[in-house]
Amino acid sequence: MQPLKSQIFSFGSEWYEVSDEYDASVTGFTGTVEYYGYLNSSGKWIIQQHNITTGAYRYANGTSSYATAWALAIAGSLTGFGYYNALKNTTP
């Protein structure tokens, strides 16, 4: 498991690169939940959710519609977050 934000994220034999972040480095961010979005070359994605109050990390993933999933995540509306070892495809 890879609990901290990084430039590269592996899931099984696939590699993902960070594409988006919504965290304390974003102007105006005042929330308690940070998000990091990762994409691979075939359009699959993983969004990492970090609760900075509790320290919990949760993950959602999918095979398409990354832009929609990312918008839902930062709006707090994306469902399907779970533990890293239980990742399954989430439909935004």
Side-chain angles (χ1 to χ4, degrees):
M1 177 166 50
Q2 194 168 348
L4 301 175
K5 179 187 79 165
S6 68
Q7 295 298 322
I8 302 290
F9 193 104
S10 66
F11 178 61
S13 62
E14 298 179 328
W15 291 92
Y16 296 75
E17 289 188 68
V18 69
S19 178
D20 294 292
E21 62 183 274
Y22 186 79
D23 62 12
S25 69
V26 176
T27 304
F29 176 81
T30 58
T32 59
V33 180
E34 302 175 323
Y35 294 96
Y36 305 98
Y38 300 85
L39 283 167
N40 76 7
S41 60
S42 64
K44 294 179 181 179
W45 53 268
I46 295 174
I47 296 177
Q48 180 183 48
Q49 177 191 67
H50 174 218
N51 184 313
I52 59 177
T53 303
T54 66
Y57 286 87
R58 299 297 180 263
Y59 305 84
N61 68 321
T63 58
S64 63
S65 302
Y66 170 76
T68 301
W70 179 252
L72 289 170
I74 63 173
S77 302
L78 184 63
T79 59
F81 283 98
Y83 292 100
Y84 177 82
N85 62 346
L87 276 174
K88 59 186 183 319
N89 288 330
T90 302
T91 303

